[in-house]
Amino acid sequence: MPDSGFGASVKRREDFRFLTGRGRYVDDIDRPGQLYAVFVRSPIAHANVTSIDIGEARKAPGVVAVFTGDDMAADGVGSLPCGWVVTDKSGDPHKAPPHWPLVRGRVRYVGDHVAVVIADTLAQARDAAELVEVGYDELSPVVDLGTAGQNVQLHDEAPGNLCFDWELGDKAAVDEAFAKAAHVSKLDLVNNRLIPNAMEPRAAIGEYDPGSDNYTIYSTSQNPHLLRLILCAFVLNLPEHKVRVVAPDVGGGFGSKIYAYAEETVCTWASKRLNGKPVKWTAERSESFLSDAHGRDHITTAELAMDSDGKFLALRVDTQANMGAYLSSFATSIPTYLYATLLAGQYATPAIHCNVKAYFTTTAPVDAYRGAGRPEATYVIERLVEVAARDMRMEPAEIRRKNFIQPDQFPYQTPVALTYDIGDYEASLNKALEMIRYGEFAQRRSQSEARGKLRGIGMSAYIEACGIAPSAVVGALGAGVGLWESAQVRFNPTGSVTVLTGAHSHGQGHETTFAQLVSEQLGVDYEQIDIVHGDTGQIPMGMGTYGSRSLAVGGSAISKACDKIIEKGKKIAAHLMEASVDDVEFANGQFTVAGTDKSKGIGEIAFTAYVPHNYPEGVEPGLDETAFYDPLNFTYPSGVHIAEVEIDPDTGETEIVDWVAVDDFGKVLNPMIVEGQVHGGIAQGVGQALLENAVYDDSGQLVTGSYMDYTMPRADDLCEFRVGMTMSECTHNPLGVKGCGEAGAIAAPAALMNAITDALGVEIDMPASREKVWRHAQARFKAAAE
């Protein structure tokens, strides 16, 4: 195994500062003269705001300003935009009511931004915020998807609270297949609403420099370049070159930090209103529960038509999706193009049709959360396949194997838009079955039953589309931006290398893996490579990190820039060695003349490029190259996860006794980091399946607004995850890689819920809480006794 480069489990270089408390997060940054912002948030789910009395708050000690939506409107501040247009069945774009950074006239969820108080200290701002008197004329809330279209109107622009009614696939072909089917399996599902809980809450500092007329925004963003674009072009109307966004160390994102939020907007705008005083805001954890964009929240009915042998003929899916009170930055893409396009799964189902109705409700906005649409799709298809196996009296592995897309069918065009490039799904299934000793499960179940326990096993054969891009495709689907990535690779005169990437690292280990990539390609010592990210002042262009695109898209951009370095280096080396450029070869950091013993190290070439005393005519000095990369297709990681559980019917406790994950991520750069990503993803999937659930009561109050009520998985809720790999190299990026960051969260809920339903003998929805499992287990024993 190499010391660095592809296949080397290099320890993460960034972990030293993270584990020793030396990281530098936004809340660690204090600017001279800094003020503190606290938001006055609505305690009511739906109401007309009849008055906002800020008189007492303005007179409170230390208060510098209190602003409302009227102040921002007077300055022409725009609405927070949704960046993905979904076209309704009618041919019209989705309904897009305005989303003001501070409300104008009406609040639409508990936590909505009514006003902001800015003071010399955080304590003074908090105290003064309590003095803001808001008059509310309360209106009826709309909490449940099931009643979202009835009676109460949230936005005039969206009659019946319907954001869009969208479909994908061939409905006529599906109807015809169902009419001829020997058997139809059906399942009703709820994909529970989740609240992202990164270790670091969101934070922002807005700073305006009156002297230069420049702005600096420090933000916990996953995508500083996109934040700059949205604020400049759509909200604050600022020249883009006048704005610098810095996203330093960020303690986790999971999708919830991609978006442009009201708080960054308000702090930036307020700094100019306050003559350049920096304005800082850091979320309290309880504030994050209310105001971070939530994830998932679907109600689905799915039906699978089969012939008499269990061969899939057609899939029909109807889904209602919750958008929350307003559209977040990419909300519309999640239940449509990142969901319905994955409903083919790993199967050669000839016809698929999906209808999605998305509604506004008086709840927090819903947007991408780890996996973003792909977990919802996998949950539908993999739960339904398990039901089909039981209906057809087939082994779950057998029915999957019978319907898998075969290796000789790639590239494979699915009925729902995507073209899978490569894969071998049966190889992953076989390896997973072997690892978990599937053939011995019946014996283990008998042993559990002898101890009064229920044992179940469940699998999930997932696929995802990640490496989000290509720009032409996502543009045709409604994306408002290009999804390329950029990179600059710069040799310094002394031979060290600085890499500037538009991808952003918020826990993924880019500083390690990107250095490994450059080390392998340029033959430079790993320790001599520095990775710079998260600062639009240093990296002019970028599209950030989400959708498992960092290595497939960002890494490919770095690789392209390295290629340019090598090509230029060949010209310099040819001149120094008095050879033809065509005869110069490069490998392991050395330029050599073919068929001779002449060679020059890349460090010497870099020095020559900056001290060009003996230099080829017509070649520019310097060794500094930039590349953009826009892929031809998504990448399609896939795999099989199998969970085995044992349930205590007396307590309802579900113990995960074994878990195997066999994934195909293409060519793997750092196996240790990949395995860690899989572990983290599974943990989040287990959280959704067993514990996590955002619940609003009938009045629209979030009753799971703290860790007292919203349960996150702990180490003792998990088991030792065993990870295996198969490999089919991606055919269309130069590295042969696929994404790995979301696979665990995509595969895990279906695998675990299939195991639990196998143990209980009944379908239940997530989360499979102890109380819910206990009731079903007791009912099962009671029925058996009768």
Side-chain angles (χ1 to χ4, degrees):
M1 180 177 291
D3 294 334
S4 61
F6 269 94
S9 288
V10 177
K11 289 185 178 179
R12 291 168 30 128
R13 57 168 60 170
E14 50 267 69
D15 282 351
F16 173 77
R17 69 175 189 273
F18 294 155
L19 297 175
T20 58
R22 291 175 170 84
R24 187 168 187 260
Y25 301 86
V26 171
D27 198 49
D28 296 322
I29 298 170
D30 290 313
R31 302 296 300 157
Q34 175 177 285
L35 304 172
Y36 294 84
V38 168
F39 286 84
V40 178
R41 298 181 182 275
S42 173
I44 298 171
H46 192 200
N48 287 320
V49 177
T50 57
S51 63
I52 304 177
D53 184 351
I54 60 175
E56 293 301 314
R58 271 186 169 164
K59 292 187 288 187
V63 170
V64 176
V66 182
F67 295 121
T68 68
D70 288 343
D71 297 307
M72 301 191 82
D75 279 0
V77 175
S79 165
L80 295 166
C82 175
W84 197 299
V85 177
V86 166
T87 302
D88 194 278
K89 281 180 182 175
S90 65
D92 296 328
H94 68 259
K95 305 300 187 297
H99 181 189
W100 306 115
L102 294 177
V103 299
R104 300 180 186 178
R106 193 190 293 192
V107 294
R108 292 183 173 85
Y109 69 101
V110 172
D112 213 347
H113 310 71
V114 177
V116 62
V117 176
I118 299 171
D120 289 331
T121 70
L122 180 58
Q124 289 170 331
R126 283 175 176 160
D127 289 344
E130 298 290 330
L131 302 176
V132 176
E133 295 285 343
V134 184
Y136 295 104
D137 182 8
E138 194 163 348
L139 303 169
S140 298
V142 184
V143 179
D144 296 325
L145 273 171
T147 59
Q150 301 173 9
N151 302 324
V152 179
Q153 185 68 40
L154 289 185
H155 300 279
D156 294 340
E157 298 84 352
N161 301 316
L162 184 66
C163 180
F164 58 79
D165 182 358
W166 175 90
E167 65 179 347
L168 182 66
D170 188 337
K171 185 175 186 302
V174 168
D175 290 344
E176 183 179 352
F178 270 79
K180 297 177 180 176
H183 182 80
V184 173
S185 291
K186 181 179 179 182
L187 186 62
D188 295 317
L189 292 167
V190 173
N191 204 298
N192 42 324
R193 174 183 278 239
L194 303 179
I195 300 175
N197 274 281
M199 291 180 70
E200 181 196 15
R202 289 190 296 118
I205 304 172
E207 183 173 8
Y208 173 70
D209 181 354
S212 63
D213 192 32
N214 286 339
Y215 296 79
T216 301
I217 305 166
Y218 300 91
S219 170
T220 51
S221 175
Q222 292 178 226
N223 196 339
H225 293 87
L226 185 69
L227 176 61
R228 181 181 64 175
L229 173 66
I230 291 176
L231 292 187
C232 291
F234 300 101
V235 185
L236 294 175
N237 298 313
L238 301 174
E240 196 169 3
H241 68 284
K242 291 284 187 181
V243 176
R244 175 190 178 198
V245 177
V246 182
D249 288 329
V250 172
F254 309 116
S256 68
K257 294 175 181 172
I258 300 175
Y259 329 121
Y261 283 93
E263 291 85 358
E264 294 142 335
T265 307
V266 171
C267 289
T268 305
W269 166 81
S271 178
K272 184 172 184 179
R273 284 288 297 257
L274 299 173
N275 200 30
K277 289 277 191 179
V279 177
K280 181 176 185 176
W281 167 81
T282 302
E284 297 286 338
R285 182 61 71 177
S286 58
E287 196 174 13
S288 295
F289 274 92
L290 291 175
S291 63
D292 288 3
H294 294 181
R296 317 288 195 248
D297 207 347
H298 287 190
I299 297 175
T300 294
T301 296
E303 298 171 279
L304 183 63
M306 293 171 283
D307 68 14
S308 57
D309 293 328
K311 194 77 173 175
F312 299 167
L313 302 176
L315 175 67
R316 179 189 287 147
V317 177
D318 284 286
T319 292
Q320 296 178 68
N322 197 337
M323 295 286 97
Y326 308 100
L327 292 181
S328 179
S329 301
F330 297 106
T332 53
S333 67
I334 311 306
T336 54
Y337 294 107
L338 294 178
Y339 165 68
T341 54
L342 270 299
L343 286 171
Q346 299 186 3
Y347 309 107
T349 309
I352 299 173
H353 179 260
C354 180
N355 197 114
V356 179
K357 292 182 179 179
Y359 290 96
F360 293 105
T361 62
T362 50
T363 62
V366 178
D367 207 318
Y369 176 62
R370 197 171 189 172
R374 283 74 54 91
E376 295 93 316
T378 295
Y379 191 66
V380 170
I381 188 67
E382 288 304 294
R383 290 291 308 278
L384 183 58
V385 167
E386 205 84 356
V387 172
R390 284 195 286 272
D391 288 349
M392 300 299 291
R393 300 183 184 280
M394 296 173 68
E395 274 290 318
E398 180 190 354
I399 199 169
R400 287 179 168 88
R401 191 176 278 117
K402 179 186 284 287
N403 288 283
F404 276 156
I405 300 164
Q406 297 302 306
D408 61 1
Q409 291 180 277
F410 293 102
Y412 181 83
Q413 176 65 57
T414 75
V416 278
L418 299 180
T419 303
Y420 300 164
D421 63 337
I422 194 170
D424 186 345
Y425 306 141
E426 192 163 354
S428 296
L429 176 64
N430 291 340
K431 187 167 185 175
L433 293 173
E434 180 184 352
M435 287 175 65
I436 207 160
R437 297 177 293 116
Y438 192 78
E440 301 169 24
F441 172 72
Q443 181 182 353
R444 298 196 294 273
R445 171 175 267 173
S446 296
Q447 292 169 349
S448 292
E449 289 173 350
R451 291 184 284 107
K453 303 291 180 65
L454 301 172
R455 200 175 189 98
I457 194 166
M459 61 185 66
S460 171
Y462 78 94
I463 190 167
E464 60 168 317
C466 61
I468 300 294
S471 296
V473 173
V474 297
L477 299 179
V481 293
L483 293 182
W484 39 263
E485 194 48 88
S486 81
Q488 180 183 359
V489 176
R490 183 176 68 218
F491 259 98
N492 301 308
T494 55
S496 62
V497 177
T498 300
V499 179
L500 300 104
T501 172
H504 183 271
S505 183
H506 34 280
Q508 293 89 343
H510 293 174
E511 293 170 37
T512 301
T513 52
F514 287 172
Q516 288 183 254
L517 174 63
V518 174
S519 174
E520 170 152 318
Q521 194 158 349
L522 296 182
V524 177
D525 189 283
Y526 166 81
E527 299 294 342
Q528 295 299 309
I529 300 165
D530 186 33
I531 307 298
V532 180
H533 66 94
D535 185 346
T536 67
Q538 297 189 66
I539 305 122
M541 297 293 172
M543 290 308 300
T545 292
Y546 41 87
S548 295
R549 70 193 301 272
S550 293
L551 188 57
V553 185
S556 293
I558 292 172
S559 177
K560 293 285 186 184
C562 289
D563 288 341
K564 291 184 177 180
I565 291 278
I566 293 168
E567 287 306 305
K568 184 172 182 178
K570 284 182 177 179
K571 296 176 183 176
I572 301 170
H575 176 81
L576 294 179
M577 295 187 287
E578 298 180 340
S580 167
V581 173
D582 294 337
D583 293 333
V584 176
E585 298 173 342
F586 179 78
N588 302 320
Q590 294 290 322
F591 294 93
T592 57
V593 180
T596 75
D597 60 356
K598 292 182 178 179
S599 70
K600 293 288 182 184
I602 196 167
E604 185 179 352
I605 298 301
F607 182 82
T608 302
Y610 289 102
V611 188
H613 296 167
N614 179 17
Y615 207 65
E617 187 174 345
V619 177
E620 290 183 7
L623 202 53
D624 183 350
E625 297 291 344
T626 295
F628 284 64
Y629 179 69
D630 197 344
L632 298 174
N633 196 352
F634 303 100
T635 71
Y636 297 97
S638 63
V640 173
H641 287 213
I642 303 179
E644 189 166 328
V645 302
E646 189 176 76
I647 292 173
D648 186 337
D650 294 329
T651 65
E653 180 185 7
T654 298
E655 181 186 0
I656 303 171
V657 294
D658 201 0
W659 193 295
V660 299
V662 176
D663 301 286
D664 177 358
F665 297 135
K667 198 173 176 184
V668 172
L669 180 52
N670 186 318
M672 182 170 60
I673 288 180
V674 167
E675 192 166 337
Q677 289 278 349
V678 173
H679 285 193
I682 296 172
Q684 284 188 264
V686 169
Q688 175 170 18
L690 293 185
L691 303 163
E692 299 180 54
N693 195 26
V695 178
Y696 287 87
D697 67 14
D698 291 342
S699 68
Q701 294 292 330
L702 180 65
V703 296
T704 53
S706 75
Y707 289 138
M708 292 291 289
D709 309 296
Y710 188 92
T711 314
M712 298 288 289
R714 303 182 182 185
D716 61 358
D717 294 310
L718 310 173
C719 68
E720 181 181 352
F721 304 133
R722 296 188 288 134
V723 177
M725 299 280 177
T726 59
M727 186 180 76
S728 57
E729 292 190 25
C730 178
T731 62
H732 53 80
N733 67 51
L735 305 176
V737 300
K738 306 176 185 179
C740 68
E742 298 162 298
I746 291 170
L752 185 49
M753 291 304 294
N754 282 339
I756 292 170
T757 55
D758 181 52
L760 293 174
V762 62
E763 300 296 333
I764 65 172
D765 280 318
M766 298 185 292
S769 64
R770 285 193 182 193
E771 183 268 346
K772 193 186 295 183
V773 169
W774 178 80
R775 289 186 184 281
H776 284 289
Q778 294 301 309
R780 174 177 172 171
F781 281 109
K782 183 178 179 182
E786 293 173 352

